[in-house]
Amino acid sequence: MAIRNILKKGDETLRKRSRDVGEITVKIITLLDDMAETMASANGVGLAAPQVGLLRRIAIIDIGDGVIDLINPVLIEQEGVQTEAEGCLSIPGIQGIVERPTRVVVEALDRHGKLQRIEGEELIARALCHEIDHLDGILFEDKVIRYVDPAELEDPEEV
Ligand code: CO
């Protein structure tokens, strides 16, 4: 495995739409493993492929229960509204309040090509929405209601 460079705000790759994954090749598996290592080393709870320079619909999340691979993720259900602070590994050191659904259901392929259904509330719902936004070239700053001082947050999360 290898740590990849995380692109920062200003890189135009972050603003492009990612393409669906067809066949899950060895290259894709290596990418998922590298993304997991990269996310862990940056203390993130999520990471999307465009953040490491690949415009493919791939993301991972880990809110502390292990890494979940998401290939071609689609938001199929959402309900409620939460307004919590979030940050992004591509915009380090900045936290802002973003409106997200409280609960979501996402369907995605795992690394074996099996369709999985991920249901989550609160942080996991926020992370899933944030990552899917990355696949459409959307950054959390596009949706920020107001910025907050990270020093005032108990546990600032970057995704
Ligand atoms: Co992000």
Side-chain angles (χ1 to χ4, degrees), residues 51 88-89 130 134 159:
Q51 290 181 280
C88 180
L89 293 171
H130 181 114
H134 269 302
V159 281

mmCIF file with all atom_site columns, all heavy atoms in Angstrom, residues 51 88-89 130 134 159, ligand 1:
data_model
loop_
_atom_site.group_PDB
_atom_site.id
_atom_site.type_symbol
_atom_site.label_atom_id
_atom_site.label_alt_id
_atom_site.label_comp_id
_atom_site.label_asym_id
_atom_site.label_entity_id
_atom_site.label_seq_id
_atom_site.pdbx_PDB_ins_code
_atom_site.Cartn_x
_atom_site.Cartn_y
_atom_site.Cartn_z
_atom_site.occupancy
_atom_site.B_iso_or_equiv
_atom_site.pdbx_formal_charge
_atom_site.auth_seq_id
_atom_site.auth_comp_id
_atom_site.auth_asym_id
_atom_site.auth_atom_id
_atom_site.pdbx_PDB_model_num
ATOM   1  N  N   . GLN A 1 51  ? -10.184 13.103 -4.835 1.00 0.00 ? 51  GLN A N   1
ATOM   2  C  CA  . GLN A 1 51  ? -9.253  13.762 -3.894 1.00 0.00 ? 51  GLN A CA  1
ATOM   3  C  C   . GLN A 1 51  ? -7.828  13.247 -4.048 1.00 0.00 ? 51  GLN A C   1
ATOM   4  O  O   . GLN A 1 51  ? -6.884  13.903 -3.610 1.00 0.00 ? 51  GLN A O   1
ATOM   5  C  CB  . GLN A 1 51  ? -9.716  13.572 -2.442 1.00 0.00 ? 51  GLN A CB  1
ATOM   6  C  CG  . GLN A 1 51  ? -10.988 14.348 -2.100 1.00 0.00 ? 51  GLN A CG  1
ATOM   7  C  CD  . GLN A 1 51  ? -11.379 14.152 -0.652 1.00 0.00 ? 51  GLN A CD  1
ATOM   8  O  OE1 . GLN A 1 51  ? -11.963 13.137 -0.305 1.00 0.00 ? 51  GLN A OE1 1
ATOM   9  N  NE2 . GLN A 1 51  ? -11.033 15.097 0.189  1.00 0.00 ? 51  GLN A NE2 1
ATOM   10 N  N   . CYS A 1 88  ? -13.056 19.047 5.352  1.00 0.00 ? 88  CYS A N   1
ATOM   11 C  CA  . CYS A 1 88  ? -12.669 18.254 4.184  1.00 0.00 ? 88  CYS A CA  1
ATOM   12 C  C   . CYS A 1 88  ? -11.149 18.155 4.126  1.00 0.00 ? 88  CYS A C   1
ATOM   13 O  O   . CYS A 1 88  ? -10.459 19.158 4.336  1.00 0.00 ? 88  CYS A O   1
ATOM   14 C  CB  . CYS A 1 88  ? -13.199 18.941 2.929  1.00 0.00 ? 88  CYS A CB  1
ATOM   15 S  SG  . CYS A 1 88  ? -12.786 18.077 1.410  1.00 0.00 ? 88  CYS A SG  1
ATOM   16 N  N   . LEU A 1 89  ? -10.646 16.974 3.857  1.00 0.00 ? 89  LEU A N   1
ATOM   17 C  CA  . LEU A 1 89  ? -9.191  16.786 3.770  1.00 0.00 ? 89  LEU A CA  1
ATOM   18 C  C   . LEU A 1 89  ? -8.582  17.619 2.644  1.00 0.00 ? 89  LEU A C   1
ATOM   19 O  O   . LEU A 1 89  ? -7.384  17.881 2.645  1.00 0.00 ? 89  LEU A O   1
ATOM   20 C  CB  . LEU A 1 89  ? -8.861  15.301 3.566  1.00 0.00 ? 89  LEU A CB  1
ATOM   21 C  CG  . LEU A 1 89  ? -9.197  14.387 4.753  1.00 0.00 ? 89  LEU A CG  1
ATOM   22 C  CD1 . LEU A 1 89  ? -9.050  12.929 4.359  1.00 0.00 ? 89  LEU A CD1 1
ATOM   23 C  CD2 . LEU A 1 89  ? -8.308  14.698 5.950  1.00 0.00 ? 89  LEU A CD2 1
ATOM   24 N  N   . HIS A 1 130 ? -21.196 13.782 1.904  1.00 0.00 ? 130 HIS A N   1
ATOM   25 C  CA  . HIS A 1 130 ? -20.000 14.567 1.573  1.00 0.00 ? 130 HIS A CA  1
ATOM   26 C  C   . HIS A 1 130 ? -19.190 13.865 0.478  1.00 0.00 ? 130 HIS A C   1
ATOM   27 O  O   . HIS A 1 130 ? -18.742 14.504 -0.483 1.00 0.00 ? 130 HIS A O   1
ATOM   28 C  CB  . HIS A 1 130 ? -19.173 14.762 2.853  1.00 0.00 ? 130 HIS A CB  1
ATOM   29 C  CG  . HIS A 1 130 ? -17.927 15.578 2.688  1.00 0.00 ? 130 HIS A CG  1
ATOM   30 N  ND1 . HIS A 1 130 ? -17.758 16.810 3.276  1.00 0.00 ? 130 HIS A ND1 1
ATOM   31 C  CD2 . HIS A 1 130 ? -16.771 15.329 2.008  1.00 0.00 ? 130 HIS A CD2 1
ATOM   32 C  CE1 . HIS A 1 130 ? -16.560 17.295 2.953  1.00 0.00 ? 130 HIS A CE1 1
ATOM   33 N  NE2 . HIS A 1 130 ? -15.932 16.407 2.202  1.00 0.00 ? 130 HIS A NE2 1
ATOM   34 N  N   . HIS A 1 134 ? -18.360 14.803 -3.557 1.00 0.00 ? 134 HIS A N   1
ATOM   35 C  CA  . HIS A 1 134 ? -17.038 14.867 -4.191 1.00 0.00 ? 134 HIS A CA  1
ATOM   36 C  C   . HIS A 1 134 ? -17.073 14.236 -5.594 1.00 0.00 ? 134 HIS A C   1
ATOM   37 O  O   . HIS A 1 134 ? -16.385 14.706 -6.503 1.00 0.00 ? 134 HIS A O   1
ATOM   38 C  CB  . HIS A 1 134 ? -16.000 14.093 -3.358 1.00 0.00 ? 134 HIS A CB  1
ATOM   39 C  CG  . HIS A 1 134 ? -15.295 14.936 -2.329 1.00 0.00 ? 134 HIS A CG  1
ATOM   40 N  ND1 . HIS A 1 134 ? -14.573 16.064 -2.662 1.00 0.00 ? 134 HIS A ND1 1
ATOM   41 C  CD2 . HIS A 1 134 ? -15.181 14.796 -0.990 1.00 0.00 ? 134 HIS A CD2 1
ATOM   42 C  CE1 . HIS A 1 134 ? -14.048 16.583 -1.542 1.00 0.00 ? 134 HIS A CE1 1
ATOM   43 N  NE2 . HIS A 1 134 ? -14.404 15.838 -0.518 1.00 0.00 ? 134 HIS A NE2 1
ATOM   44 N  N   . VAL A 1 159 ? -13.504 14.950 5.909  1.00 0.00 ? 159 VAL A N   1
ATOM   45 C  CA  . VAL A 1 159 ? -13.900 13.858 5.011  1.00 0.00 ? 159 VAL A CA  1
ATOM   46 C  C   . VAL A 1 159 ? -13.606 14.191 3.556  1.00 0.00 ? 159 VAL A C   1
ATOM   47 O  O   . VAL A 1 159 ? -13.253 15.303 3.248  1.00 0.00 ? 159 VAL A O   1
ATOM   48 C  CB  . VAL A 1 159 ? -15.395 13.512 5.176  1.00 0.00 ? 159 VAL A CB  1
ATOM   49 C  CG1 . VAL A 1 159 ? -15.592 12.662 6.394  1.00 0.00 ? 159 VAL A CG1 1
ATOM   50 C  CG2 . VAL A 1 159 ? -16.275 14.719 5.270  1.00 0.00 ? 159 VAL A CG2 1
HETATM 51 CO CO  . CO  B 2 .   ? -13.985 16.163 1.467  1.00 0.00 ? 1   CO  B CO  1
#
